[in-house]
Amino acid sequence: MQNQDNILKIENLEIGYPSKKDVNNILFKNINLSGNTGELIALVGKNGIGKSTLLRNIAGLQESIKGDILFFDKHKESYSRTEFARMVSFVSTEIVNINNLSVFDLVSLGRFPHTNWFGKLRSDDIIKSKRALEMVSMDSFARKNVNEISDGERQRVMVARTLAQDTQIIALDEPTAFLDLPNKYEIVHLLNKLSKQENKTIIFSTHDLNIAIQEADKIWLMLEDEIIEGAPEDLILNETFNKIFEKSNLSFDKLKGDFRMKRTHSEKIGLIGEGVYYNWTKKALERLNFLVKKSNESILNVNIEEKDDRHVWKLNESGNIHEFNSIYELSLYLKKIN
Amino acid sequence: MLKKHTSFIWILLTVVLLVLFVFDIVLGSVQIPLKEVLKIIFTGQSDHPEYLTIIYRFRIPKAITALFAGFALSVSGLQMQTVFRNPLAGPFVLGISAGASLGVALLVMGISTFTIVSQIGVIGNWTIVIAAWLGSGLILFLILAISARVKDIMTILILGIMFGSATAAIVNILQYFSNESMLKAFVVWTMGSLGGVSLTQLKVLIPSVAVGLFITFMLIKILNAMLVGENYAKSMGLNIRVSRFLIFFSTSLLAGSVTAFCGPIGFIGIAVPHIARIVFKTANHKILLPGTMMIGGIVLLLSDIISQLPGHETTLPINSITALVGIPIVIWIIIRNQKLSSL
């Protein structure tokens, strides 16, 4: 196996759009990052901060302004086009939607840097393309057309194409962008699995921080003027995540590993209950700007009780008891009296 | 099963192509019996010397021209649709026909404006060909110079259309100031003609088209990669600049040569690649490219047969026929597929 530490090293990189007239086109400076084998890396940051540009620099689609990107201790520029294409593959945000292009043909395009001038697929190329489809569980779709499959399936096929390209590093620009929630989780989980199983270094940009925290081995966090890397758990514990949306109303919940709106609580409310019912009722009350206390001593108190196999919410409004059958009914009443 | 199906299509296309080729030679304003035609083709002899002349001097060159023009225009259309990832692209999106017509317009009408010469006969067939070639070559040069600098492929498409409009504007001005007979000569050229190509000219046209087709067949792998867009193609190790150069060069050679000899023949280049996609149900150029070529030959031979109005003295302009044959095909495809928005 390759030396663990030297797959990808980014040193003092400066990215942006070079222009002859001015130097104002620099998007991001002083980027120092690294990537190892068997690692899934999530690139996180605000819109427009330069995530795509960084990925395009790594994937060799764009020149950097300053600094170095090293693959296996060698400069990016020292590789030939084909050598580079055998080392790094890329999935962009562009949706590939071509009539009459079969899934297998699309995946086997990944063999491009391995085939001869005519693009003839040798048996080895066919086996590798088929295996790539198996790895993303899309082998039964080989003969289908790419415009007949769902977005989630297409994203898997695009991943299979990079697997057929047989590269150590795979860079993906927002692979979860168009997907529904289950598909988002599945594709990132698949990337995680592939990074371990195939010992690849997979880098993807995303806005789905929850998923990134759960699946990624490392997070590259792009803040206003610095980029920080570390295990998601490290970044949670040292409160780095809070810096992402410093200027907005979001704050990071360390315990839950999730963002929530910063709220200004107006009134206290007591809540007694158990398990998930307690948690979700608390969430609803917080949405209504209450400061929730696990006690019975406020002016307003809610008790969640079980009654004939179902739950009821009893609101004690300074002695007057109201009973509600759902959180929604409770919240309607609370809105009215506020 | 799929393989069997495809080889059946190949055989069918070959048979249709051959039959139409023979029909194109048999049918014409002078009626020659099929027997005589076959005898002339296979033995080179006939009891009627005038038949020999008609077949050898006119009909065979014309059929061969139709065949090669069909090959060239449809293949260059396919290349442009793939490179620009646009179903409405055709061989002339780069402004090649506009460039050629500028060349011809400058020759035909420019000369008549600035000199006293007004006899069309003075301007030989070859002169028109060279003028058209120079015109499309100029546009090709501009496009290649731009494509080396411009990164975005869509910018090139728009610039190609701009060049086309600009040259068309100049042609309009020339038309406005030219006299009637010159204007007619030019308009006749724009209608296209397969019959005006002599045997000597075929010796130039055929090699030009053959070289263009050869380059295109060398580019099959590159064209397949271009299908998914230049970003992906680059990430798979494709040299975009060299690829674009080769594709634009071969397209210009194919479309430019045919336009120089036959005038701007429209619609084949846009319609035929779509027919090939429907017939073969693939986007892979290994099949699509030869398929498009074959169908292009078939469609232009068919158009030529129709344009001769078999049995009649007159022939219709080929450009109108290709449009009238092509438009229903495209409409049918749109209605059947409703997916022309992507390739």
Side-chain angles (χ1 to χ4, degrees), chain B residues 116-276:
Chain B
I116 320 150
V117 184
S118 62
Q119 298 233 293
I120 188 77
V122 176
I123 306 159
N125 224 346
W126 271 110
T127 338
I128 287 185
V129 168
I130 289 164
W133 232 338
L134 285 176
S136 54
L138 174 78
I139 294 293
L140 165 70
F141 181 77
L142 280 172
I143 290 288
L144 289 180
I146 285 164
S147 76
R149 284 186 184 82
V150 175
K151 275 194 180 145
D152 184 31
I153 191 82
M154 284 308 148
T155 311
I156 298 174
L157 179 63
I158 291 165
L159 287 175
I161 292 168
M162 291 296 128
F163 282 154
S165 303
T167 42
I170 299 172
V171 169
N172 270 341
I173 294 173
L174 285 170
Q175 282 180 316
Y176 186 75
F177 286 111
S178 64
N179 67 40
E180 239 170 72
S181 65
M182 288 296 145
L183 192 61
K184 179 154 191 207
F186 178 73
V187 170
V188 167
W189 178 81
T190 62
M191 287 175 174
S193 157
L194 297 169
V197 185
S198 68
L199 268 175
T200 344
Q201 288 180 338
L202 269 186
K203 282 177 192 155
V204 179
L205 177 62
I206 291 175
S208 311
V209 171
V211 170
L213 289 176
F214 178 76
I215 296 172
T216 314
F217 273 86
M218 294 288 115
L219 297 175
I220 283 178
K221 180 183 178 180
I222 290 173
L223 287 167
N224 276 339
M226 287 273 193
L227 267 183
V228 285
E230 288 196 345
N231 262 333
Y232 277 121
K234 197 177 175 191
S235 82
M236 294 186 290
L238 185 75
N239 187 335
I240 298 292
R241 272 184 199 183
V242 171
S243 307
R244 270 190 200 167
F245 177 87
L246 289 170
I247 291 170
F248 290 161
F249 180 76
S250 66
T251 295
S252 304
L253 190 60
L254 290 167
S257 306
V258 172
T259 307
F261 286 102
C262 311
I265 298 175
F267 244 89
I268 297 280
I270 298 172
V272 170
H274 291 297
I275 305 174

Side-chain angles (χ1 to χ4, degrees), chain A residues 107 184 274 293:
Chain A
V107 171
K184 276 180 204 251
E274 270 168 17
K293 294 247 163 180

Side-chain angles (χ1 to χ4, degrees), chain A residues 172-211:
Chain A
L172 306 97
D173 197 0
E174 298 200 24
T176 56
F178 305 104
L179 307 181
D180 60 12
L181 205 57
N183 272 309
K184 276 180 204 251
Y185 274 91
E186 267 172 37
I187 199 90
V188 179
H189 185 70
L190 172 73
L191 294 175
N192 184 356
K193 194 185 88 184
L194 291 170
S195 68
K196 308 295 171 296
Q197 208 172 282
E198 308 292 318
N199 255 316
K200 291 189 184 295
T201 310
I202 303 180
I203 306 159
F204 73 106
S205 62
T206 186
H207 288 288
D208 297 294
L209 200 63
N210 287 337
I211 305 175

Side-chain angles (χ1 to χ4, degrees), chain A residues 56 60-62 81-82 85 88-92 94-101 105-106 109-110 112-113 115-121 143 147 158 161 165, chain B residues 2 85 151 217-222 224-225 227-240 277-278 281-284 286 337 339-343:
Chain A
R56 289 173 57 83
L61 293 174
Q62 202 172 316
R81 245 178 260 277
T82 307
V88 186
S89 53
F90 182 63
V91 176
S92 77
E94 214 177 319
I95 295 177
V96 170
N97 196 358
I98 303 159
N99 265 345
N100 299 321
L101 182 69
D105 279 349
L106 179 58
L109 266 184
F112 190 94
T115 55
N116 67 2
W117 63 269
F118 190 65
K120 185 175 166 45
L121 294 176
R143 280 187 176 277
N147 60 352
M158 293 314 287
R161 192 193 54 86
Q165 202 171 330
Chain B
L2 205 80
R85 303 171 76 204
K151 275 194 180 145
F217 273 86
M218 294 288 115
L219 297 175
I220 283 178
K221 180 183 178 180
I222 290 173
N224 276 339
L227 267 183
V228 285
E230 288 196 345
N231 262 333
Y232 277 121
K234 197 177 175 191
S235 82
M236 294 186 290
L238 185 75
N239 187 335
I240 298 292
R277 287 190 193 95
I278 300 264
K281 293 187 176 54
T282 181
N284 190 339
K286 269 175 213 167
N337 262 36
K339 264 183 198 165
L340 211 61
S341 57
S342 67
L343 281 184

